């Protein structure tokens, strides 16, 4: 992975917290990053050239002008006033390369002076086993602070640790060993031959590789989750973006020019689900 700075831009030493998405159902993590970049008025400082990411190109997701600025698969943004860096990932990882990608990203985080990595990810509501009807709490977390994945700061926010995380479970142990650079060829071949169990599902997701690889590099890692289904996932993206701001003590309301609710809707969202229906049809 190679980091290319934009002309005239630089890395900011005070931006020691990195927020990034883990691709999952509904692209909620990516939508949340879009919302944070737009609302915090983060500036694009460069992009990451990573061979394990599928190539793509598009129009500027945030600007309203006609400068012809291109959006690339893996871009880096800084919000100096909030001491935050953000990475936006716009295309998926090549199949079988997720662990390698996570290792490269963890190396970049360490090399650029990051101390805390926050991963935003959605989870498939169809696999949610325990539903707490007594609470409106919809945020779950996983932290590297303690061995069991708990974190007192997250608990104080009313969040619950992801119940499916078990560091002693075989797939989590396998992923941790890969992140530490231990060769697991025999174990890998046995996994390919066996049927995937329900307990193997969560450690197979992108967030798990990012969590394990960043943790192996000595970084503090906090994953924030929201269960959702495919469809209009804009409300879910607000939920994750707000959760990340609460965790980090940031407030989009303080950004000059933001709307009454503190958020600035990215320009690219205008065509996310196509134009509105022709009401003359009804």
């Amino acid at each position: 992975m190679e980091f290319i700075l934009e002309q005239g831009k630089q890395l900011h030493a005070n931006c020691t917290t990195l927020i990034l998405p883990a691709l999952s159902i509904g692209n909620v993590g990516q939508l949340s990053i879009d919302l944070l970049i737009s609302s915090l008025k983060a500036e694009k400082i460069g992009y990451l050239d990573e061979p394990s990411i599928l190539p793509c190109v598009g129009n500027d997701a945030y600007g309203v002008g006609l400068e012809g600025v291109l959006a690339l698969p893996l871009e880096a943004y800084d919000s100096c006033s909030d001491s935050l860096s953000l990475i936006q990932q716009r295309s998926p990882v090549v199949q079988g390369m997720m662990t390698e990608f996570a290792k490269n990203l963890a190396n970049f985080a360490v090399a650029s002076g990051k101390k805390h990595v926050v991963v935003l990810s959605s989870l498939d509501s169809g696999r949610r086993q325990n539903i707490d009807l007594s609470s409106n709490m919809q945020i779950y977390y996983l932290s590297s602070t303690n061995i069991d994945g708990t974190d007192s700061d997250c608990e104080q926010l009313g969040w619950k640790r992801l119940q499916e995380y078990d560091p002693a479970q075989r797939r989590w142990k396998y992923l941790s060993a890969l992140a530490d650079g231990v060769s697991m060829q025999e174990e890998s071949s046995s996994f390919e031959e066996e049927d995937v169990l329900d307990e193997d599902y969560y450690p197979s997701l992108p967030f798990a590789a990012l969590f394990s690889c960043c943790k192996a590099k000595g970084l503090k890692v906090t994953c924030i989750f929201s269960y959702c289904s495919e469809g209009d996932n804009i409300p879910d993206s607000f939920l994750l973006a707000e959760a990340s701001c609460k965790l980090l003590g940031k407030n989009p309301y303080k950004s000059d020019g933001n709307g009454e609710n503190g958020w600035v809707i990215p320009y690219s969202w205008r065509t996310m689900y196509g134009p509105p229906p022709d009401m003359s049809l009804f």
Side-chain angles (χ1 to χ4, degrees), residues 176-277:
S176 179
L178 287 180
D180 288 330
V182 179
S183 177
M184 301 287 286
Q185 292 183 355
E186 293 184 3
E187 191 76 8
S188 177
S189 60
S190 68
F191 281 147
E192 292 175 358
E193 294 171 0
E194 296 177 6
D195 292 332
V196 177
L197 305 175
D198 285 343
E199 64 181 14
D200 298 328
Y201 173 72
Y202 285 91
S204 72
L205 296 178
F207 84 84
L210 292 169
F211 175 79
S212 299
C213 291
C214 289
K215 180 182 178 182
K217 286 295 181 179
L219 296 164
K220 178 181 179 181
V221 194
T222 307
C223 299
I224 307 177
F225 309 106
S226 172
Y227 282 94
C228 72
S229 302
E230 291 284 4
D232 182 354
N233 297 111
I234 288 178
D236 302 295
S237 69
F238 275 94
L239 187 66
L240 276 188
E242 289 171 356
S244 63
C245 286
K246 287 181 180 178
L247 176 68
L248 301 173
K250 307 302 177 184
N251 190 348
Y253 291 83
K254 294 182 179 180
S255 297
D256 294 335
N258 285 11
E260 293 181 0
N261 65 354
W263 298 105
V264 175
I265 305 301
Y267 186 75
S268 58
W269 285 20
R270 294 187 179 187
T271 56
M272 186 184 303
Y273 296 106

Side-chain angles (χ1 to χ4, degrees), residues 52-73:
S52 62
I53 294 288
L54 292 174
C56 74
V57 67
N59 291 326
D60 182 13
Y62 312 108
V64 297
L66 301 175
E67 291 85 359
V69 179
L70 296 178
L72 299 175

